[in-house]
Amino acid sequence: MNIGHTYESTARLVHAITGEYPTAEGLHGAYRAAISNPALRPMTVDGGGIAIGYEDGDWANHCTEHGIFEHIFKGAGPTDGPTRAAWEAKVTEALDLIFTIAPGLRLMVDLLVTDLVILNSGADGGGSASQLPGVVVMSPGAEWDVLDYAMCLVHEGTHLNLFVADKVYGTFALSSRELDADQYHALSAVKIGQRRPLDKAFHAAAVTVPLMFMERRQGRTTLVDLYTSSLRDACADLEKQRDHFTPYGRLLLDELCDFGESIDFDEVARSISSPDYAGYLPVSV
C-alpha cells in the first residue's frame, strides 16, 4: 500500500517484462505498455486513464467466456445511457474522494487500475484477478454512496498491488494450487468464521486495512466495528502458517499483524507515503 514501495515493485515488474528501467515520471506509461504484452493479458491498455466498460464490452465478454468473476457477472442485465453516465460520475467523484483521504492511495489506483467494468448484477462488490493485471470489475449496490465507490476502487487496487508484489518478490513458499489444500487454510477477516486458502485469506485480511482507514477518515466506524476482532483472529491464524510465507511475505504479515494489534490509523496514514516503507530488504524470519 505504501506508494514508494508500490512504485518500486511496479518498476521492477516493468524491468522484468521489458528489460527497461522506467523513471518515476515514466512509470505510469511504462507499466501500461508492459502489461499490454499478449502473454500477460488478451487486450492492450487503452490510453493513460481508467477505461470504463460495461456488460456488453470486450472485457465483460472475455470474463464471461473464460469463467472469470462468475459470481459478479451472473445475473448482470443490460444498462442504459443514463445509468452508465451516473456510474461514471460516481467513479469520478470517488477518485477525487480517494485523493482527499490520502493522495498516496489515489496514486496507487491511478497507477494500477487501467480498466474498470461496471455491472448491475446485484453482487454488490468488486473483483480483480492476478491473471488480469489492471482490470477491476465493480457491481455497485443500489444504496452505494461515493465512499463505497472509492473503497471498492482502493480495495481492488490493493489486490492488484499485492499481485504485482507477488510476481516480483514472491509472497508464499507454495503455489496457489498447493495452498488450496485444507491444511493451508486460514480464517478470513472478511468472510467471518470461514477458512480460506492461505493466499486468499491473507489478501482478504490485508485489504481490510485501507477500507477501515478510509471509513474512519470519513467519520464512520461500521467496518472498524465489524473487522477489528475478525482481523485479529485472522492474523493469529495466518501466523500459524508463517513457514509457508517467503521472507518478503513475512514482512507483509508482520506489518498486517502489527496493525491488527494496534488498530493505529495514524500509523496507516503515515505508512502510505513514508519513505521508511519504500524499499525492500527481506530481514524477517
Side-chain angles (χ1 to χ4, degrees), residues 18 41 60 65 79 130 238 242 259:
T18 68
R41 48 180 258 172
E65 289 171 6
T79 53
S130 60
L238 289 165
R242 186 178 184 84
F259 172 76

Side-chain angles (χ1 to χ4, degrees), residues 69 71-72 115-117 125-129 135-139 152 155-156 159-160 163:
F69 307 126
H71 67 292
I72 302 176
D115 299 85
L116 175 63
V117 183
S128 51
V135 180
V136 167
V137 175
M138 175 192 292
S139 178
C152 184
H155 176 160
E156 301 307 335
H159 279 304
L160 294 176
F163 292 143

Side-chain angles (χ1 to χ4, degrees), residues 101-152:
I101 293 172
L105 292 181
R106 172 65 189 270
L107 287 172
M108 179 187 73
V109 170
D110 285 345
L111 174 64
L112 296 177
V113 180
T114 64
D115 299 85
L116 175 63
V117 183
I118 314 180
L119 308 163
N120 65 350
S121 70
D124 294 5
S128 51
S130 60
Q131 73 269 33
L132 294 179
V135 180
V136 167
V137 175
M138 175 192 292
S139 178
E143 304 301 319
W144 276 22
D145 59 15
V146 174
L147 179 60
D148 292 309
Y149 281 80
M151 290 196 297
C152 184

Side-chain angles (χ1 to χ4, degrees), residues 171-190:
T171 309
F172 303 98
L174 299 173
S175 69
S176 183
R177 180 169 294 182
E178 290 173 311
L179 292 175
D180 277 338
D182 289 345
Q183 66 263 36
Y184 304 123
H185 285 205
L187 284 171
S188 171
V190 177

